[in-house]
Amino acid sequence: MAHRQANSAREYLVKAGVKVPIDIAVETYEQGKDPHLGPGSGIVLWAVSSKGLIKGADALGERGGKPAEAVGEEAAKGLLGNLRSGMALDEYMGDMVIPYMALAGNSVVGISRITLHALTNIYIVEKILGVKFEVSGKEGKPGLIRVFHA
């Protein structure tokens, strides 16, 4: 199953025009020896730019519910969306960086997709640290997040 997910992701990326080398590392476990907490499968993809920026995407399988090929394609679509957004950070880093922005003050970042996690984190950080954020863009779309010290 892991190989099918990986091959599906590779095929999708190649068909989309990705021309850089695609390295694949597959991690599998014997039944009963998997150290993870839940059943199922997943795939994590990431790309490293020539400037060292890293963007990622992932997808989870569902036992009996989602074919391995769909899992791989979902992750590949997510990675391409992050890369094509033109923003420096993917949506995962976009919500994690918010507390650090508040501590640093007067800063701005571009994220590939404004998420509910990011908006919630902004709300909480504003209340705790007394800073003000401004979000340019809509939830689910690329956008800029700015922080100002009050």
Side-chain angles (χ1 to χ4, degrees), residues 41-106:
S41 65
I43 184 170
V44 177
L45 305 176
W46 65 90
V48 181
S49 77
S50 60
K51 295 182 180 182
L53 296 174
I54 300 171
K55 291 185 181 181
D58 61 17
L60 294 175
E62 299 171 14
R63 183 174 278 171
K66 190 189 306 183
E69 292 76 14
V71 177
E73 186 175 311
E74 181 182 329
K77 283 180 182 177
L79 181 61
L80 283 176
N82 285 332
L83 294 172
R84 290 177 175 161
S85 73
M87 299 297 179
L89 303 179
D90 62 33
E91 70 265 27
Y92 306 107
M93 183 56 73
D95 64 56
M96 289 187 281
V97 74
I98 289 165
Y100 301 103
M101 291 176 66
L103 294 173
N106 301 330

Side-chain angles (χ1 to χ4, degrees), residues 122 126 132-136 144-148:
I122 287 169
E126 284 180 336
K132 180 69 179 149
F133 283 88
E134 176 183 282
V135 178
S136 300
L144 298 175
I145 296 176
R146 291 180 176 83
V147 64
F148 309 93

Side-chain angles (χ1 to χ4, degrees), residues 26-45:
V26 176
E27 186 177 292
T28 60
Y29 300 93
E30 291 180 39
Q31 189 169 359
K33 297 191 181 203
D34 186 344
H36 302 96
L37 297 175
S41 65
I43 184 170
V44 177
L45 305 176

Side-chain angles (χ1 to χ4, degrees), residues 8-18 22 73 80 84:
S8 175
R10 177 197 298 269
E11 287 175 20
Y12 188 88
L13 292 170
V14 169
K15 284 180 185 175
V18 172
I22 300 172
E73 186 175 311
L80 283 176
R84 290 177 175 161

